[in-house]
Amino acid sequence: MTKNSFKDNDKIVTEKGIHTDFINRMTYGEYLHLDSLLSSQKLLSGHHDEMLFIIIHQVSELWMKLILHEVNASIESIQKGDLSTAFKMLARVSKIQSQIIRAWDVLSTLTPSEYIQFRDKLGQASGFQSYQYRMIEFALGYKTPHVLAIYKKDPELHQRLDKALHAPGLYDAAIHALAKEGFAINPDLLQRDFSEPYQADPTVEAAWLEVYNNVEKYWDLYELAEKLVDIEDWFQQWRFRHMKTVERIIGHKIGTGGSSGVNYLKKVLDHRFFPELWDLRTKL
């Protein structure tokens, strides 16, 4: 460090107005509960790279918490007819997704030789069990009731997931918005059992085709559709990077949670959340 940089630091410390007395004031660390946050990395092995493994997953869970915060609020906004507010939230979700995807780039610096030094310490714990990931899937309309069995250990959490399973998802809210605009949507869809996975419907496809063929007339619905496509696009990129990172680190081993690992992750790449929005591109 140069002499000038020391002088610059002195200027910062001595600048008028900077608070230095926090005896009776809340600090940055207190506001963020950093003592709790930064002491949550409990290594079960003595291996250096376990810290990387834990932090990557913890950071991803924090981003997922924000995704749920934004997606659930956007659903409420769409239901109220406030699409412009929903657009802001959904655009933010896409930016968050890009950050989670980049996290795989960091985790991929973990080599197979390094991971096997502490993998057995995980027991049956696995990212497959991430309840926030499941809630994101539920919010996007991918409902899988059988996974709730994983969370029976925590009755309160199980109840939260069950509530999310039966709640309308983001696409359900969008379909209702189409109906409110006057499109002839299959009434069974508007009253469907939201705990069931969504199946493509010709009336929804016809409505979206009309929207895309008359962009100026249905600008808000068109913008909503494109926001949904952005989110699904990013989600699939996240799934792909997850699959390739797992393949790079453990090959085709069975996952710690008992899944088929890479083979399972490849299968979910074929799933689509908003099928009509992809199919219409061929028909326009």
Side-chain angles (χ1 to χ4, degrees):
M1 186 177 288
T2 66
K3 291 182 178 179
N4 286 337
S5 63
F6 276 119
K7 289 179 180 179
D8 290 340
N9 287 336
D10 289 341
K11 288 179 182 178
I12 293 172
V13 172
T14 59
E15 182 180 331
K16 291 181 180 179
I18 291 182
H19 298 290
T20 58
D21 181 2
F22 287 94
I23 299 300
N24 296 307
R25 295 173 181 172
M26 179 178 64
T27 65
Y28 170 82
E30 289 170 338
Y31 174 68
L32 295 178
H33 297 278
L34 290 183
D35 283 348
S36 175
L37 184 65
L38 299 179
S39 62
S40 296
Q41 295 72 47
K42 310 293 186 183
L43 278 65
L44 298 181
S45 73
H47 198 276
H48 173 83
D49 293 304
E50 190 183 358
M51 180 68 80
L52 162 68
F53 189 82
I54 292 174
I55 288 179
I56 286 293
H57 288 84
Q58 288 181 337
V59 168
S60 294
E61 290 292 335
L62 285 172
W63 280 129
M64 284 192 276
K65 182 173 184 176
L66 186 54
I67 287 175
L68 284 168
H69 178 71
E70 300 294 343
V71 169
N72 289 331
S74 71
I75 291 172
E76 292 181 9
S77 293
I78 295 169
Q79 290 171 334
K80 294 174 182 176
D82 184 5
L83 297 187
S84 60
T85 298
F87 296 158
K88 172 69 174 178
M89 296 168 178
L90 295 176
R92 181 176 292 163
V93 169
S94 293
K95 293 296 185 181
I96 298 166
Q97 289 175 297
S98 71
Q99 294 298 308
I100 294 183
I101 292 170
R102 293 299 300 272
W104 293 121
D105 295 339
V106 182
L107 187 59
S108 66
T109 64
L110 181 68
T111 69
S113 298
E114 292 162 346
Y115 184 46
I116 60 174
Q117 299 301 314
F118 62 87
R119 187 180 188 235
D120 64 324
K121 298 295 183 181
L122 274 62
Q124 279 71 57
S126 165
F128 183 83
Q129 299 147 16
S130 168
Y131 71 85
Q132 290 198 122
Y133 177 81
R134 294 302 170 194
M135 292 181 79
I136 291 172
E137 286 191 328
F138 290 176
L140 297 183
Y142 185 40
K143 304 298 181 74
T144 49
H146 62 277
V147 302
L148 263 64
I150 297 171
Y151 310 101
K152 286 183 177 180
K153 181 178 181 179
D154 185 336
E156 183 178 346
L157 175 58
H158 187 275
Q159 186 176 12
R160 283 179 59 196
L161 282 155
D162 187 67
K163 182 179 178 180
L165 178 72
H166 288 86
L170 181 59
Y171 201 43
D172 295 305
I175 291 171
H176 275 259
L178 289 171
K180 288 178 182 178
E181 189 63 29
F183 289 102
I185 300 299
N186 179 357
D188 291 339
L189 283 182
L190 304 177
Q191 303 295 328
R192 76 184 190 88
D193 180 355
F194 297 120
S195 68
E196 295 293 328
Y198 176 77
Q199 301 294 328
D201 185 275
T203 64
V204 174
E205 182 177 281
W208 285 127
L209 275 169
E210 182 69 16
V211 168
Y212 274 74
N213 280 317
N214 295 275
V215 172
E216 292 185 4
K217 182 178 179 180
Y218 300 112
W219 177 259
D220 281 351
L221 289 171
Y222 171 72
E223 184 72 8
L224 174 60
E226 285 298 294
K227 288 288 188 289
L228 297 181
V229 171
D230 285 343
I231 286 174
E232 178 158 354
D233 191 348
W234 282 112
F235 200 95
Q236 291 297 65
Q237 291 185 55
W238 184 93
R239 281 173 161 172
F240 179 79
R241 288 296 295 126
H242 183 190
M243 182 270 293
K244 294 305 293 184
T245 303
V246 170
E247 185 175 25
R248 177 171 177 158
I249 296 175
I250 69 168
H252 288 262
K253 291 187 179 73
I254 297 296
T256 52
S259 75
S260 58
V262 169
N263 290 332
Y264 170 80
L265 296 173
K266 284 183 176 179
K267 289 178 184 177
V268 298
L269 285 172
D270 293 330
H271 171 261
R272 298 187 300 172
F273 294 102
F274 317 127
E276 295 90 350
L277 293 178
W278 295 98
D279 291 340
L280 69 81
R281 280 154 163 77
T282 305
K283 299 180 180 180
L284 277 173

